[in-house]
Amino acid sequence: IFFELIKNSMRAVVERHGPGADLPPVEVVFAEGIEDIAIKISDKGGGIPRSGMDRLWSYSFTTAGGTAEKIERNKSGDKRPVMAGFAHGLPLSRIHARAFGGDVQVMSLEGHGTDV
């Protein structure tokens, strides 16, 4: 779960600011309360448009380009790992978190960034 959420944040930051730019950090906060342990991941990757928020948990929605292109790239012999774009990471992360009594929540400010 943690890897998926960090990967999403890092990708958003690089895509917004450019690979050669001075990138803002992805911040991670661990908080231990009496009843809960919470992890908050914050990025300045531009956020998610409001129109995309309802589709975040769908297995057919991705912000990382076409899945078909990635499959074709692999078939052509390109061995670079595909790290995003299959639209399964976030929904599966939430299912796993819920299976262990937790949850994944997303708060996004379009034009700024996202907290998960």
Side-chain angles (χ1 to χ4, degrees), residues 2 8 11 21 24-26 29 35 45-46 48 51-52 63 65 83 88 94 97 99 116:
F2 189 74
N8 288 351
R11 187 179 59 81
V26 172
V29 175
E35 296 182 8
I48 302 163
S51 62
T63 60
M83 299 290 289
H88 291 96
R94 185 169 75 165
V116 181

Side-chain angles (χ1 to χ4, degrees), residues 50-65:
R50 189 171 8 147
S51 62
M53 291 298 290
D54 289 341
R55 297 180 292 162
L56 274 181
W57 309 109
S58 167
Y59 289 100
S60 61
F61 177 70
T62 180
T63 60

Side-chain angles (χ1 to χ4, degrees), residues 1-2 4-5 88-98 104:
I1 298 170
F2 189 74
E4 178 65 26
L5 301 177
H88 291 96
L90 203 52
L92 285 175
S93 292
R94 185 169 75 165
I95 286 172
H96 284 106
R98 287 179 172 178
V104 175

